[in-house]
Amino acid sequence: MKQLVRIALLLTVVLGSACFVNSASVEPKPGGTITLAISKDMALMNPLVATGSTEARIRELMFESLLGLDARGNIRPNLAESWDVSKDGKVYTFKLRRGVRFHDGKEMTAADVKFAIDYTMDAKNGATGYDTLSVVDRVELPDPLTVKLYLKRPDPLFLTWLSDIRAFSVIPKGSLAEGVRQPKSMPPGTGPFKFVEWQPRQRVILARHDQYWGPKAFVDRVVLRDIANATVRINALQSGDVDIIERTPYEWVKEIVDGKTKGIGYSKASLAGARNVEFNVAAPPFNNKKLRLAVAHAIDRKEILQGAYLGLAEASDQRYPKGHTWYFVDVRAPEYDLSKAKALLQESGYKGETIELMGNVGEAAEVEGAVIQAQLKRIGIKVQLKMFERASALEARRKGNYAFKLSGGREYPEPIPLLQEYRCEPDLNNRRENESGYCNKQFDALLAEAEAQSDIEKRRVLYRRLTAMQMEDMPILPIGFTPRFFAFRSHVKGFQTDFSGAFQWGEGGLSHTWIDK
């Protein structure tokens, strides 16, 4: 685990920690409502399903994991106040925090934790953490505040996975029905805010959880307004219709950072997201490897990032940035080479058909897509852009109803989660994590070996081989990494995101924010 902590520290050093400009009052003022304009609405009221991207950001305000991470990437207590790991690395014992109450007032017990784990481990529920918890053999409850997890094999990163709600968050026993992807109501959580209302494509309303086990939030209510259009978001901030916005338009960032936009502060998430092009390799036309490689060689990463992010993003041909401990300098990725791209295109048998590129409404995806469309036109590929609303995009990706798509991503202390997304899945019409439909038994075998390997240097060798295999098979083409900026009016005090762009995290976010007016 010391090795893992060093990796997390290196992640912060290499990529830059969160920073902000925010002149705070001496004493926080309780009360009031803070309105945050978000670029994408949530799609589901199931806290254990589709726990990525915007879904995770919103749910982290309401739901919590057993463990957490501090600003330096160290594992810290959360709903579990202590833990013990057996010498063979296969038994984890967690002592739960006493007196934690759900939003409905019920006290949390070990039975609630077991329910969330069991629900996640049931394949028919489609929970995001299914693969992560597949290492768990059984759960035992020695007493109402103790949870024992027995693993099938040692997993050196198991504690790290449990520090994130993507594995699972704790919800009351019986609060979700089996097999229901979209429940009609939000189950109670334990987080600093509780659910009040969701009006799809309009707003999510949360209220302070007055029985929260930790420091209580300062504001009474949080309103998350869905404003997909970036220009409309910044206009709403300037007019005072909202207090804070995420994903501040990049053309405004320099003005704000330089102090030219009066009365507006900012908080920077230095590594908020990765940008990639992902192929549906299980269906035409991109079940053709040569066509995928032709696209890869036709992509000019710097041109895409300059166009969409005004040069503020960092290009990378792997899932980690250059200079990072998990960037492999001796693994060759497809380089920008139009001659090679045209040759591969001819070998692929492409007949000039139009190929649809999917993106999400409300991101810089429109610009990214337009640049890629122009780049592929240079080698003779016809591309039609199709922008989806969040919920529609999730459904299409899950069913494999796309040709290729613009996709995001996030940072991890080690590559395993990024690699697990490409493990073979049995049902291509109901894809949980592997939206590309990629399936390579040799890749799966190497991944299983990496998951079971406790020696970090031996894992490094396996990660390198897996990365090289992905570069050769090309289910996903990395483009680079983007910072994101929150911008807020001068009466917003105390807000600080982390380097990933969280709305709420252990040492900052909306629960630490107050209104000074």
Side-chain angles (χ1 to χ4, degrees), residues 62-311:
M62 297 175 279
F63 299 95
E64 296 179 301
S65 49
L66 282 182
L67 305 174
L69 295 176
D70 65 20
R72 290 182 169 272
N74 298 306
I75 295 173
R76 62 171 178 81
N78 205 38
L79 294 180
E81 61 182 4
S82 65
W83 58 92
D84 179 71
V85 183
S86 64
K87 290 183 179 180
D88 64 1
K90 295 174 66 176
V91 182
Y92 287 70
T93 303
F94 297 93
K95 293 293 184 180
L96 302 182
R97 192 178 298 275
R98 186 180 298 274
V100 173
R101 294 195 175 274
F102 289 106
H103 297 151
D104 61 1
K106 175 181 176 290
E107 188 166 351
M108 180 192 74
T109 70
D112 302 307
V113 177
K114 185 176 188 301
F115 171 77
I117 294 173
D118 289 343
Y119 184 96
T120 300
M121 291 172 59
D122 189 337
K124 67 174 174 289
N125 293 325
T128 301
Y130 175 82
D131 284 333
T132 300
L133 296 187
S134 64
V135 70
V136 176
D137 179 58
R138 68 185 190 278
V139 184
E140 293 183 357
L141 309 179
D143 61 62
L145 289 176
T146 303
V147 178
K148 293 179 78 74
L149 299 181
Y150 292 81
L151 306 192
K152 300 171 186 174
R153 54 174 174 75
D155 183 344
L157 298 181
F158 191 62
L159 290 176
T160 300
W161 307 152
L162 299 188
S163 67
D164 192 319
I165 66 169
R166 287 166 176 80
F168 73 93
S169 51
V170 180
I171 56 176
K173 181 180 179 180
S175 59
L176 282 177
E178 291 184 358
V180 177
R181 178 180 175 83
Q182 175 63 291
K184 294 181 179 179
S185 61
M186 187 77 79
T190 61
F193 296 99
K194 59 184 179 181
F195 177 79
V196 175
E197 175 185 286
W198 175 36
Q199 294 185 15
R201 299 186 182 178
Q202 295 184 49
R203 65 185 185 186
V204 179
I205 299 178
L206 311 175
R208 180 178 55 238
H209 179 26
D210 289 326
Q211 292 182 299
Y212 185 56
W213 60 268
K216 310 297 187 292
F218 296 117
V219 295
D220 296 328
R221 288 163 75 87
V222 170
V223 177
L224 305 172
R225 280 186 55 188
D226 179 18
I227 305 180
N229 185 281
T231 301
V232 176
R233 276 202 306 280
I234 193 70
N235 288 341
L237 180 70
Q238 291 182 303
S239 68
D241 287 344
V242 301
D243 303 299
I244 182 170
I245 65 172
E246 66 151 341
R247 297 177 186 254
T248 305
Y250 286 95
E251 61 268 24
W252 285 90
V253 168
K254 183 170 176 54
E255 297 290 314
I256 295 172
V257 171
D258 291 346
K260 296 179 180 179
T261 304
K262 301 301 180 184
I264 303 293
Y266 74 93
S267 181
K268 178 183 178 182
S270 57
L271 186 67
R275 301 305 299 160
N276 310 286
V277 173
E278 189 168 22
F279 302 94
N280 183 359
V281 305
F286 287 117
N287 58 348
N288 185 326
K289 178 178 170 180
K290 288 187 177 180
L291 183 59
R292 299 197 299 270
L293 290 173
V295 170
H297 283 293
I299 292 295
D300 183 339
R301 295 175 175 83
K302 291 184 179 179
E303 185 180 30
I304 295 170
L305 298 178
Q306 178 64 45
Y309 304 100
L310 304 181

